[in-house]
Amino acid sequence: MKLPPFDYACPTTLPEAVQLLATSNGDAKAIAGGQSLVPMLAFRLAQPSLLVDLRKLPDLRGIRISAKGVTLGAMVRWRDIEDDERLDTAHPLLKAAIAHVAHYQVRNRGTVGGSLAHADPAAEMPGIAMTCDAEIAVVGKSGAHVIQAADFFQGALTTALTPDEIIVEIRLPAWPAGRRWGFEEFARRRGDFAMAAAAVFYDQDANGKAHNAHVGVIGVADRPLRLPAVEDVLNGRAIDATIIAKAEAAASAAVDPQDDIHASAAYRRALVGTLVERALKRAAA
Amino acid sequence: MRTVNSLIGSPIERLEDLRFLRGRGQYVDDLARKDMLHAAILRSSVAHGRIRSIAVAAARALPGVHSVITAKDIGNRVPRVPMRLQPLPDFEPFGQPVIAETKVRYVGEAIAVVLAETAAIAEDALGLIEVEIEPLPAVADRRASAQDASLLFEDKGTNLAIKFRAVRGDAAAAFADAPYVRRESFRTQRHMALPLEPRGLLAEWDAARGRLTLSGGAKVLFFNRRTLAKQMGLPESAIEIVENDVGGGFGARGEFYPEDFLIPFAARHTGRPVKWTEDRREHLMCVNHAREAECDVEIACKRDGTILALRGHAYVDVGAYMRTNGAVGARNVAQFMSGPYRIPHIDVDVALQLTNKTPVGTYRGPGRFETDFFRERLLDMVAQDLGLDRVEFRRRNLVSQREMPYQIATITPFESKDEFDSGDYQTTLDRCLDEIKWTEKSKLAGKLIDGRYHGLALGCFIEGGAAGPKESARIVLEPDGLYSVYVGSSAIGQGLETAFAQIAADALEVTIDRIRGVFHGSTCYVDDGYGAYHSRSVVMGGSAMLDAAKNLREAIRAQAAQRLGCQPSEVEIVEGSKAVGPGGKSIALNGLSSEGISAEGAFLNKKHTYTYGAHAAHVAVDAKLGHVELVDYVVVEDCGRIINPLTVHGQAIGSVVQGLGGAMMEHLVYDQEGQLLTGSLADYLIPTASDFPNIRAIVMGDHPSPINPLGAKGAGEGGIIAAGGVMANAVANALSAFGAQPRELPLTPTRVWELAQAPRK
Amino acid sequence: MEPRLTLADCLRHHLRLTGTHVGCEHGVCGACTVIVDGAAVRSCLMLAVQAEGAEVVTVEGLSNDADLTPLQKSFRRHHALQCGFCTPGMITTAHALLSEEPDCDAARVREVLSGNLCRCTGYIPIVEAVLDARAAYQPKGRDRSGDRA
């Protein structure tokens, strides 16, 4: 499985990189860590004429934490998130989810931006982006703009990015102290893509009632999903066993997975319910 | 320094490790030759169809491409891959052409070979070959195969390759009178050996001398040389097949595959060295598949749990062709369905059904993994029906030591009679129960603790070894007084060099550092060899080596006697370094002969050894996730005389984990069009380091085999054989509240979850 | 050098450092693991051109002629290899892990090694070998030999 032929460029500025992508008739691909793209090349599922390597671009590698939230540069690696102790409080849900991404060696190279651009429906980072209402900042030939996560993922391996656009960073809104959250994933083996995963969080008012509930799932559709029907079950309620059972049923009812080689649709539907239930139990504990 | 005669049975650290650990092993893809061409193979993407045309001009025109070979270039009749084992005339019509001629019969079948200056260019050129194939209805499973509506071989008029039948006693009469009968159906899934090193070949043709050297051989070098010589019209002596370091075999690697002809042919065709390295996608669709078997079986028992008879039908999906050892698994499904148990009356037949899938061959514990799943599941169901304790039921029916040798069912049409050689099957069962703490853990069975259901199970197995007819060895006393050992067996990663050095050193009564090396893996070292399969290397090669050592010592005595002026019988060899004659006159062996002294040895054998043992598992099942955690797993086996406890223990653990892969996750999935859906290691799942951390193996050597001078039996397959049955029984036990009865592997999360969907009792 | 050349193929076929093995070419098996600027990576998922200016350590660089290293000795003692094909990737991965986390426990070792496939050993002896080699990676003055997870 040798890679197909392609040209290679390693620009040192963002405009240069955009220019390279823009002038190749949509036939160029940006490469960050390469952990999703290179296997695609190996199977010749992707055959770009040009690879634009982002590794020398400045300012894409930092994790910034401020009152407005957490900003991850597109070239931030899984390993960087794992090692950043500030995120334990600044965004514990992100940290918990990223712990499930792939394996040791892949975590040393795989990047946040690469995962978003690849848009695997079972990947954790797109799931977190959806669940947390993230903003994805991109630069293209028409300049810089921001895409809401809900608009960004358009199908399996399909995003709102145009061929000339590069992800610069992803912004996760601020995470208040005291927020309740849970993340549950089930994969066939450690590090495999999720059969399904559920990310949930909500805030509690003085009476212990939940509001601002966010429930997201991956692995059950062609893109990461938010489940508003489940959020409706939670908002305005105290999260007790009865509500959790209702949320579980609502989650199963809200998804319409397909059979595939790893699981039946019926199983996956039940699994989503179970994972939402367990994530909520963890959140409420 | 170790004293002599103490090596066999010692946990000697392996000699091979010194190069492997430093990255200095030499595997076939590590080789390079000046002027070497790289081969890439165009493979059918259609499961069943007629080839209309193949257009190679565009590929040939790509810069860097040297040539493209198709069936047309091979000659009048494209050679077939032969049957190595059970070469019955019945199989001949179903032989695989080494390259597709008129039809393609599975996804992955070779259509054309591109030879280019780099592997990447060769792959680029594959995309430029235009093949027109008229699709035919794909035969996707054994049921469709049996309908014969679409035929793989039209001339034959049937997709049934053959039926084997295993018979002992009179099953019909026994069933007629039986007080209890249960009928069941079970299924095991297609999976495969998947050694970590993909296959590879490097062929070099010496036109001036008319000689071919083929690197990348494994397992059965001499058979492959015979085959290749015939196919290429060369004398056997003109071909050398070389085995490099081999990254795992497990039955699949080293069999004669189409590429074993195509690459040497390409080297002769182009006059340049040709290297081919299989990629993982090719490996998944081209190397022998295994294990896809189903059965409808009936068992008859007395109410007290005495098994009276077993009968039924089994069906094995053998894929598109019958090649090399493709009948072994099916044969074993029938012959070993009774396992280590005394079943007086047996009548089981097995149909080998052709389908449009990759051909099958042996994978570690061939047929035994499948049939142990069928039988051990059935036994648990019977015990439950009859209200018997699972352990006592098995104990009552295990073949006892005083029944040895014990005759098992005879297979027709091959008339293969066989018998268990020796052993005390109760002792491994007892030890296994002790180790897992069966009595104590039985209290957990079926209990829900912290959200998980606990289950416990056991199963018993036998493992055949020591396939004949012969193995050869040669030992040379070098002029410098060190010994070189040459064997016809093959190393496939199992630590053969170390084991053979131990055996040779003890037989020669020298320390291991006097063995210069164990040389294997070339057809030029010994006259003939039979290779590494059926757990035979140590038993057969080791026994041959004892013979060679005896002959060498005689030759040394004879030569020394001449020099010392006495009779050979008066010469004593001391510490393998000097020969002492009457009156203490002595001569150092390093001065004995300027060209060295060589002696050959052989071991001939028609009987099989039977290693035996028991497995037990403790699982905790998360019924909502369908996840099975392995809390504890014990395998106990007795493999006769143990050569190296360190390596045999390692084999047992590794074998169990492969078996757990087959039990829990490994599955080659095809769709109804015959497309392989699991063409990458992201989809074909094998166990990783975090899946099964709790496994223990106890290897006993209490009952040496009486049928070879070493007393050794096969080792390395026992761990895999019972794993499917035991895990399924453990899950059944855990989910007994739901009446769960797994009848199919693997136990995927979906399947386990489904088993827990019935209302709780 | 062609841009499409992977680091793995560059090491093996251009530099003739054949200790780095290739078992899948799609980033699953871990046999091709090498250490790039201190971090274990899959060399089949990295282009050789991307290693421009980087320090690359392979199994050859972790070996010497005189003797096996403590990690290699531990592998041999525990019989943590059979066919040897996954071994270079196991050694490089374990070396990277122990260099960063000399106090890692069994669960962490299993988690890290779960990205390296082995078809022979069943992994148990490999995990034991890595744990047993931790002592050799302790900062000077500390010795945890005999310490087990």
Side-chain angles (χ1 to χ4, degrees):
Chain A
M1 289 198 294
K2 303 305 172 197
L3 310 186
F6 47 77
D7 291 326
Y8 172 85
C10 193
T12 52
T13 68
L14 211 42
E16 203 186 332
V18 169
Q19 182 65 23
L20 283 162
L21 289 171
T23 52
S24 64
N25 300 321
D27 205 20
K29 276 265 186 197
I31 181 169
Q35 304 299 286
S36 303
L37 179 58
V38 179
M40 301 272 286
L41 297 171
F43 283 101
R44 301 202 178 204
L45 297 172
Q47 303 206 30
S49 60
L50 170 70
L51 284 192
V52 179
D53 195 339
L54 309 183
R55 71 188 159 93
K56 289 185 181 169
L57 300 186
D59 307 328
L60 297 188
R61 294 184 186 275
I63 300 177
R64 295 200 313 275
I65 297 171
S66 70
K68 282 159 73 183
V70 173
T71 301
L72 305 171
M75 293 289 280
V76 165
R77 305 170 306 157
W78 310 122
R79 173 63 187 275
D80 301 324
I81 294 174
E82 194 176 4
D83 287 350
D84 195 325
E85 289 175 6
R86 299 173 303 164
L87 290 171
D88 294 348
T89 47
H91 213 297
L93 177 63
L94 170 71
K95 195 137 186 184
I98 294 318
H100 291 267
V101 177
H103 300 97
Y104 184 62
Q105 297 94 329
V106 171
R107 298 162 69 82
N108 279 329
R109 284 194 63 78
T111 66
V112 167
S115 173
L116 294 172
H118 184 61
D120 190 294
E124 289 83 0
M125 192 66 222
I128 291 301
M130 273 298 287
T131 307
C132 299
D133 295 324
E135 293 179 339
I136 296 160
V138 306
V139 172
K141 63 186 177 198
S142 54
H145 68 120
V146 166
I147 307 173
Q148 299 300 319
D151 303 325
F152 185 83
F153 302 105
Q154 301 191 336
L157 314 187
T158 309
T159 69
L161 285 177
T162 55
D164 58 297
E165 285 178 334
I166 294 171
I167 298 173
V168 177
E169 60 188 30
I170 172 172
R171 301 166 193 155
L172 299 166
W175 188 269
R179 175 171 279 178
R180 318 296 300 201
W181 65 277
F183 183 86
E184 288 288 325
E185 173 168 325
F186 185 56
R188 302 247 347 231
R189 299 172 305 181
R190 213 222 145 269
D192 281 345
F193 274 111
M195 295 240 274
V200 304
F201 70 82
Y202 57 86
D203 298 317
Q204 271 177 318
D205 66 17
N207 302 319
K209 300 263 169 70
H211 63 97
N212 190 33
H214 283 57
V215 177
V217 294
I218 57 173
V220 289
D222 67 350
R223 66 195 83 180
L225 298 180
R226 276 280 288 279
L227 301 181
V230 182
E231 293 166 1
D232 290 347
V233 171
L234 305 175
N235 282 325
R237 310 267 187 8
I239 308 303
D240 58 16
T242 312
I243 293 298
I244 291 175
K246 272 189 187 167
E248 176 182 354
S252 288
V255 297
D256 185 20
Q258 306 294 306
D259 284 327
D260 67 25
I261 57 170
H262 294 301
S264 73
Y267 166 79
R268 268 216 170 82
R269 185 176 296 114
L271 178 63
V272 163
T274 299
L275 295 173
V276 165
E277 176 223 16
R278 292 183 183 186
L280 282 171
K281 276 187 178 157
R282 205 174 271 272
Chain B
M1 183 178 256
R2 291 177 193 280
T3 54
V4 297
N5 269 328
S6 62
L7 293 161
I8 292 181
S10 298
I12 305 284
E13 291 183 357
R14 298 197 323 167
L15 308 172
E16 297 88 334
D17 294 358
L18 297 173
R19 63 178 188 274
F20 291 159
L21 283 163
R22 291 172 162 119
R24 294 177 188 168
Q26 193 174 61
Y27 301 82
V28 61
D29 186 57
D30 300 344
L31 305 176
R33 297 287 183 265
K34 199 167 161 282
D35 248 3
M36 180 170 82
L37 288 169
H38 296 261
I41 299 173
L42 180 72
R43 300 184 180 281
S44 179
S45 58
V46 174
H48 194 193
R50 226 177 295 282
I51 299 175
R52 288 292 173 221
S53 64
I54 307 173
V56 301
R60 200 170 272 151
L62 186 73
V65 171
H66 179 284
S67 49
V68 181
I69 295 171
T70 65
K72 273 203 317 230
D73 303 294
I74 304 277
N76 287 337
R77 187 174 191 271
V78 170
R80 262 56 180 170
V81 178
M83 291 296 281
R84 181 171 64 80
L85 301 173
Q86 292 97 32
L88 298 168
D90 311 57
F91 294 130
E92 267 170 33
F94 306 113
Q96 177 172 8
V98 294
I99 193 162
E101 276 181 293
T102 54
K103 280 185 83 173
V104 290
R105 296 186 178 87
Y106 65 96
V107 169
E109 186 165 3
I111 294 175
V113 183
V114 174
L115 301 156
E117 300 299 331
T118 70
I121 294 172
E123 285 188 36
D124 295 345
L126 295 182
L128 300 174
I129 300 175
E130 285 174 45
V131 183
E132 198 190 330
I133 296 175
E134 174 199 340
L136 296 166
V139 178
D141 56 44
R142 64 104 177 162
R143 286 174 203 279
S145 172
Q147 286 166 5
D148 288 333
S150 177
L151 292 169
L152 275 81
F153 298 83
E154 289 86 351
D155 300 352
K156 280 295 290 178
T158 175
N159 291 321
L160 177 69
I162 201 172
K163 249 186 200 184
F164 287 124
R165 187 170 173 202
V167 175
R168 188 184 199 272
D170 183 350
F175 269 91
D177 298 337
Y180 166 85
V181 170
R182 178 153 182 163
R183 184 181 182 140
E184 276 297 335
S185 297
F186 300 104
R187 183 171 195 280
T188 52
Q189 85 284 13
R190 185 171 271 252
H191 55 289
M192 72 189 299
L194 205 96
L196 202 63
E197 182 202 11
R199 289 180 299 150
L201 294 165
L202 171 62
E204 296 165 86
W205 173 247
D206 179 342
R209 293 164 62 223
R211 284 184 60 86
L212 177 81
T213 305
L214 181 63
S215 302
K219 184 178 180 179
V220 284
L221 310 183
F222 290 86
F223 175 83
N224 287 5
R225 180 171 70 164
R226 277 196 293 283
T227 302
L228 187 57
K230 250 183 257 167
Q231 293 178 341
M232 293 190 65
L234 292 170
E236 280 181 42
S237 58
I239 299 178
E240 184 187 356
I241 300 188
V242 180
E243 170 189 276
N244 308 88
D245 283 324
V246 174
F250 317 118
R253 193 193 181 90
E255 287 298 328
F256 196 96
Y257 287 96
E259 296 82 2
D260 290 277
F261 171 83
L262 295 173
I263 303 306
F265 177 86
R268 189 169 65 177
H269 187 74
T270 59
R272 288 172 61 178
V274 174
K275 184 161 96 169
W276 169 69
T277 301
E278 179 184 61
D279 68 38
R280 187 54 70 180
R281 179 176 42 178
E282 286 183 293
H283 184 91
L284 285 160
M285 59 188 185
C286 299
V287 169
N288 289 337
H289 290 180
R291 305 267 205 257
E292 188 169 10
E294 290 177 67
C295 72
D296 301 312
V297 286
E298 273 183 294
I299 190 167
C301 298
K302 288 194 205 166
R303 290 272 161 203
D304 67 0
T306 305
I307 303 174
L308 297 171
L310 180 71
R311 70 178 175 193
H313 309 288
Y315 317 91
V316 171
D317 179 335
V318 294
Y321 296 101
M322 292 304 305
R323 66 187 192 192
T324 69
N325 59 10
V328 173
R331 194 270 313 263
N332 288 358
V333 163
Q335 189 167 26
F336 298 100
M337 197 176 277
S338 49
Y341 302 100
R342 181 193 314 104
I343 303 184
H345 304 286
I346 298 171
D347 188 350
V348 177
D349 62 28
V350 56
L352 283 71
Q353 293 288 161
L354 295 154
T355 60
N356 290 116
K357 294 190 255 186
T358 300
V360 303
T362 62
Y363 168 34
R364 203 176 202 174
R368 296 190 170 90
F369 175 91
E370 300 90 305
T371 215
D372 266 46
F373 168 71
F374 303 158
R375 181 191 65 249
E376 294 296 328
R377 276 271 54 224
L378 189 59
L379 293 186
D380 265 18
M381 292 174 169
V382 171
Q384 207 175 347
D385 281 354
L386 297 177
L388 300 168
D389 177 78
R390 291 179 284 170
V391 176
E392 292 313 313
F393 175 45
R394 286 178 171 81
R395 202 189 285 289
R396 170 187 290 270
N397 291 293
L398 281 175
V399 172
S400 69
Q401 196 172 2
R402 59 181 152 57
E403 294 169 277
M404 298 292 173
Y406 177 86
Q407 174 102 36
I408 61 168
T410 297
I411 285 278
T412 52
F414 209 56
E415 272 307 322
S416 171
K417 289 189 192 304
D418 210 346
E419 60 187 30
F420 299 156
D421 58 332
S422 63
D424 182 354
Y425 295 1
Q426 304 281 347
T427 54
T428 46
L429 174 58
D430 287 339
R431 180 73 187 273
C432 189
L433 296 169
D434 277 357
E435 291 288 341
I436 197 106
K437 298 194 169 65
W438 182 267
T439 313
E440 190 184 321
K441 287 199 166 178
S442 290
K443 295 169 198 140
L444 299 174
K447 291 258 166 61
L448 179 63
I449 301 165
D450 293 336
R452 296 181 309 165
Y453 295 90
H454 286 250
L456 197 60
L458 85 159
C460 301
F461 72 92
I462 40 113
E463 168 196 353
K470 185 185 168 189
E471 198 50 270
S472 311
R474 184 162 64 90
I475 308 181
V476 178
L477 170 66
E478 306 283 3
D480 62 3
L482 296 181
Y483 296 86
S484 297
V485 176
Y486 298 87
V487 285
S489 309
S490 287
I492 43 178
Q494 77 277 51
L496 186 99
E497 290 167 34
T498 308
F500 280 0
Q502 290 175 254
I503 295 168
D506 273 5
L508 294 164
E509 299 183 356
V510 300
T511 50
I512 202 163
D513 55 333
R514 298 189 65 83
I515 306 294
R516 178 195 305 284
V518 173
F519 300 96
H520 55 87
S522 167
T523 47
C524 68
Y525 288 151
V526 293
D527 288 341
D528 202 358
Y530 290 83
Y533 63 96
H534 196 256
S535 293
R536 67 184 301 282
S537 289
V538 159
V539 182
M540 297 296 295
S543 295
M545 200 175 310
L546 294 185
D547 188 46
K550 183 171 117 307
N551 294 340
L552 180 63
R553 290 167 63 85
E554 274 168 24
I556 291 171
R557 270 199 291 268
Q559 195 131 345
Q562 278 186 6
R563 297 276 290 271
L564 296 169
C566 64
Q567 292 300 310
S569 59
E570 295 174 298
V571 176
E572 196 188 340
I573 302 170
V574 178
E575 288 174 357
S577 63
K578 62 182 175 184
V580 182
K585 223 169 113 186
S586 77
I587 179 166
L589 296 191
N590 63 5
L592 197 56
S593 162
S594 57
E595 61 263 26
I597 302 174
S598 173
E600 306 207 340
F603 181 63
L604 285 81
N605 176 35
K606 283 185 182 160
K607 293 184 172 179
H608 293 151
T609 60
Y610 280 91
T611 292
Y612 56 90
H615 292 209
H618 171 196
V619 301
V621 180
D622 185 326
K624 290 190 80 178
L625 297 182
H627 179 65
V628 179
E629 188 204 335
L630 188 57
V631 180
D632 195 10
Y633 198 99
V634 175
V635 52
V636 178
E637 62 180 343
D638 190 317
C639 59
R641 192 166 179 211
I642 296 169
I643 310 302
N644 188 328
L646 190 65
T647 58
V648 81
H649 178 264
Q651 289 269 319
I653 296 275
S655 188
V656 168
V657 172
Q658 281 188 346
L660 294 170
M664 309 306 293
M665 55 180 77
E666 298 186 29
H667 193 180
L668 291 157
V669 182
Y670 279 85
D671 68 11
Q672 284 303 302
E673 275 71 54
Q675 292 293 332
L676 177 64
L677 304 180
T678 48
S680 81
L681 289 186
D683 292 317
Y684 184 79
L685 309 182
I686 69 168
T688 72
S690 51
D691 290 317
F692 306 113
N694 305 311
I695 297 164
R696 294 176 289 142
I698 291 108
V699 184
M700 300 163 73
D702 294 349
H703 293 273
S705 174
I707 65 168
N708 67 73
L710 267 180
K713 297 183 176 185
E717 299 187 79
I720 205 168
I721 292 171
V726 168
M727 289 303 285
N729 281 342
V731 168
N733 184 245
L735 300 179
S736 53
F738 303 93
Q741 296 290 9
R743 291 179 173 84
E744 196 173 343
L745 295 178
L747 298 161
T748 59
T750 298
R751 192 160 280 139
V752 172
W753 173 79
E754 285 168 352
L755 288 168
Q757 291 311 296
R760 260 182 89 177
K761 283 189 269 186
Chain C
M1 209 155 57
E2 270 195 295
R4 63 161 147 179
L5 187 69
T6 63
L7 178 58
D9 282 348
C10 177
L11 291 168
R12 288 179 50 73
H13 302 305
H14 289 235
L15 303 176
R16 298 295 298 149
L17 292 167
T18 55
T20 298
H21 293 162
V22 171
C24 75
E25 295 180 287
H26 56 276
V28 180
C29 82
C32 68
T33 302
V34 300
I35 303 172
V36 176
D37 289 336
V41 306
R42 301 195 192 287
S43 62
C44 77
L45 292 191
M46 190 168 166
L47 305 176
V49 289
Q50 292 182 297
E52 175 200 359
E55 182 197 57
V56 179
V57 178
T58 69
V59 68
E60 288 92 343
L62 297 176
S63 306
N64 62 71
D65 287 335
D67 200 0
L68 296 180
T69 65
L71 178 62
Q72 289 167 333
K73 279 184 183 161
S74 187
F75 266 62
R76 191 178 188 213
R77 195 163 58 243
H78 287 275
H79 189 36
L81 64 156
Q82 290 181 29
C83 80
F85 197 76
C86 74
T87 307
M90 291 288 180
I91 291 282
T92 48
T93 305
H95 177 78
L97 170 66
L98 293 175
S99 300
E100 290 175 343
E101 304 174 38
D103 295 323
C104 56
D105 63 11
R108 175 66 176 155
V109 172
R110 279 196 286 268
E111 182 194 338
V112 166
L113 294 183
S114 68
N116 292 60
L117 298 180
C118 168
R119 195 58 161 164
C120 297
T121 65
Y123 304 101
I124 289 170
I126 299 178
V127 174
E128 286 170 355
V130 175
L131 290 171
D132 205 16
R134 286 177 301 186
Y137 288 83
Q138 296 298 322
K140 282 213 164 52
R142 289 177 65 199
D143 181 4
R144 294 191 24 160
S145 54
D147 195 9
R148 303 299 292 249

